[in-house]
């Protein structure tokens, strides 16, 4: 793959995977590879905790304003800033908010060695389970030492929960139709943990016990699911990619792949383009990607309506 400056670079898929095929892999390992590659690239400057408060553009430039008062000016600004994007209202002011889909995901993981041995999983005990109004995606990954032997693995799960809407609104996590933030482990009140644990009473073992253990150890995050179907991806010298551009339910299984496609499409659109061609190049990106990501988000909305009962 060519960078914007014409030099060779590995594709994002190669960087994310480490050049190996992985059927399923924990996100922290993918993120670690991407961040390490960005930190090692002399053309990339990473700034941690640089909060963006405003975005704008002129005929020949675009900029972001930081909370520190600093303004960063460039030929273009690409918003890859998630489902509550600061850039999105500047690109799509008529439709700028992702809407709460009516359910949340409890995402947790812990090292199998932290569990009693009777809760260690058989090698084939993962996949998808449905029980009552819940859906569980579960997997045991190779541990930090690379071993997949029982007791060495990382046990991970994502529990779809459609019964916590009132709690999400009471805690201010959801306001109206807009998701404000996730619930970090320290922010999950004890009464809510008790409520969720009680709902696991009829779930098969060992997963009910594993989920309860993850809650007790503070290894679970509550993520309300939002969805957003874009009407546009670019405006002048501003563009959106990833969850800033399109927010699907995780049930599509396409969020990360489509974000990679966005990035590679922008790279292709800029092949041979100069800074004066930025708006035209971004329009080429939008022409290639808009209908595809609209279909992707819409493909999951039927599930959301059915699962959330809305």
């Amino acid at each position: 793959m060519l960078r914007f400056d014409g030099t060779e670079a590995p594709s994002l898929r190669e960087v994310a995977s480490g050049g190996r095929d992985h059927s399923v892999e924990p996100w922290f390992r993918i993120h670690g590879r991407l961040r390490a590659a960005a930190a090692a690239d002399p053309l990339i400057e990473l700034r941690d905790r640089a909060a963006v408060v405003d975005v704008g553009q002129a005929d020949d430039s675009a900029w972001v304003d930081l909370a520190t008062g600093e303004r960063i000016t460039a030929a273009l600004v690409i918003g890859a800033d998630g489902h509550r994007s600061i850039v999105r209202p500047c690109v799509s002011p008529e439709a700028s908010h992702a809407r709460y889909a009516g359910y949340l995901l409890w995402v947790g993981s812990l090292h199998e060695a932290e569990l009693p041995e009777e809760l260690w999983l058989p090698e084939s005990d993962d996949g998808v389970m449905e029980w009552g109004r819940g859906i569980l995606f579960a997997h045991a990954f190779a541990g930090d030492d690379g071993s997949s032997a029982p007791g060495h693995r990382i046990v991970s799960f994502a529990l779809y929960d459609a019964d916590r809407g009132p709690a999400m609104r009471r805690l201010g996590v959801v306001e109206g139709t807009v998701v404000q933030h996730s619930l970090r482990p320290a922010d999950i009140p004890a009464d809510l943990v008790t409520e969720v644990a009680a709902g696991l009473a009829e779930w098969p073992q060992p997963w009910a016990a594993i989920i309860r253990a993850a809650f007790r150890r503070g290894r679970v995050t509550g993520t309300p699911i939002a969805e957003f179907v874009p009407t546009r991806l670019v405006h002048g010298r501003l563009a959106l990619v990833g969850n800033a551009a399109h927010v699907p339910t995780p049930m599509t299984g396409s969020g990360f792949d489509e974000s990679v496609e966005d990035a590679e499409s922008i790279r292709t659109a800029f092949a041979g383009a100069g800074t004066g061609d930025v708006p035209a190049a971004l329009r080429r990106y939008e022409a290639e990607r808009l209908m595809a990501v609209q279909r992707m988000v819409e493909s999951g909305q039927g599930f959301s309506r059915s699962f959330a009962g809305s």
Side-chain angles (χ1 to χ4, degrees):
M1 184 180 81
L2 291 177
R3 294 186 178 93
F4 289 165
D5 66 353
T7 60
E8 288 287 340
S11 72
L12 284 177
R13 293 184 189 281
E14 292 172 322
V15 173
S17 68
R20 298 172 57 193
D21 290 331
H22 304 274
S23 57
V24 184
E25 194 175 22
W27 168 244
F28 72 84
R29 289 180 181 158
I30 298 171
H31 177 270
R33 293 188 197 107
L34 291 170
R35 183 176 176 86
D41 193 318
L43 299 177
I44 297 175
E45 177 186 354
L46 294 175
R47 296 199 188 189
D48 292 323
R49 303 185 184 279
V52 175
V53 296
D54 198 14
V55 177
Q57 64 179 316
D59 289 341
D60 59 352
S61 64
W63 63 82
V64 296
D65 290 334
L66 304 184
T68 59
E70 180 185 3
R71 171 168 287 188
I72 300 174
T73 301
L76 72 158
V77 169
I78 298 174
D81 51 338
H83 84 271
R84 294 194 66 208
S85 172
I86 295 289
V87 183
R88 190 192 294 139
C90 300
V91 171
S92 181
E94 73 285 355
S96 59
H97 292 298
R99 296 176 62 87
Y100 177 48
Y103 58 98
L104 75 152
L105 220 53
W106 298 111
V107 180
S109 67
L110 40 72
H111 287 82
E112 202 170 33
E114 299 176 85
L115 298 167
E117 189 168 347
E118 61 266 23
L119 296 182
W120 293 0
L121 298 169
E123 290 188 15
S124 61
D125 193 356
D126 56 28
V128 183
M129 288 171 272
E130 296 186 46
W131 204 267
R133 281 173 52 78
I135 298 175
L136 178 69
F137 284 77
H139 199 81
F141 301 100
D144 296 334
D145 61 358
S147 173
S148 295
H152 291 256
R153 296 168 296 184
I154 295 173
V155 179
S156 181
F157 64 85
L159 176 64
Y160 285 70
D161 186 344
D163 293 327
R164 312 301 156 201
M168 295 302 99
R169 290 188 163 84
R170 183 179 72 248
L171 295 169
V173 174
V174 176
E175 294 181 1
T177 63
V178 179
V179 175
Q180 299 298 319
H181 57 83
S182 293
L183 271 178
R184 296 172 298 180
D187 298 331
I188 303 174
D191 63 331
L192 183 55
V193 173
T194 300
E195 184 181 314
V196 174
L200 297 170
E202 301 300 322
W203 274 76
Q205 298 291 5
W207 282 106
I210 289 171
I211 295 169
R212 290 193 184 103
F215 271 104
R216 285 197 305 271
R217 291 177 174 273
R219 305 293 178 78
V220 180
T221 299
T223 303
I225 300 305
E227 292 177 314
F228 179 76
V229 181
T231 56
R232 60 178 74 181
L233 301 178
V234 306
H235 175 55
R237 292 175 176 268
L238 307 177
L240 302 171
V241 299
N243 277 2
H246 41 80
V247 187
T249 170
M251 190 59 77
T252 66
S254 301
F256 179 74
D257 281 346
E258 294 298 333
S259 298
V260 171
E261 291 293 337
D262 291 344
E264 295 190 345
S265 176
I266 283 185
R267 188 266 307 172
T268 300
F270 272 88
T275 57
D277 299 329
V278 166
L282 291 181
R283 288 194 296 273
R284 289 194 292 273
Y285 156 66
E286 182 180 70
E288 179 179 2
R289 295 295 297 150
L290 181 58
M291 289 185 64
V293 297
Q294 287 173 333
R295 288 194 298 267
M296 181 265 298
V297 179
E298 290 166 350
S299 72
Q301 289 185 313
F303 164 80
S304 293
R305 287 190 293 268
S306 173
F307 182 69
S310 59

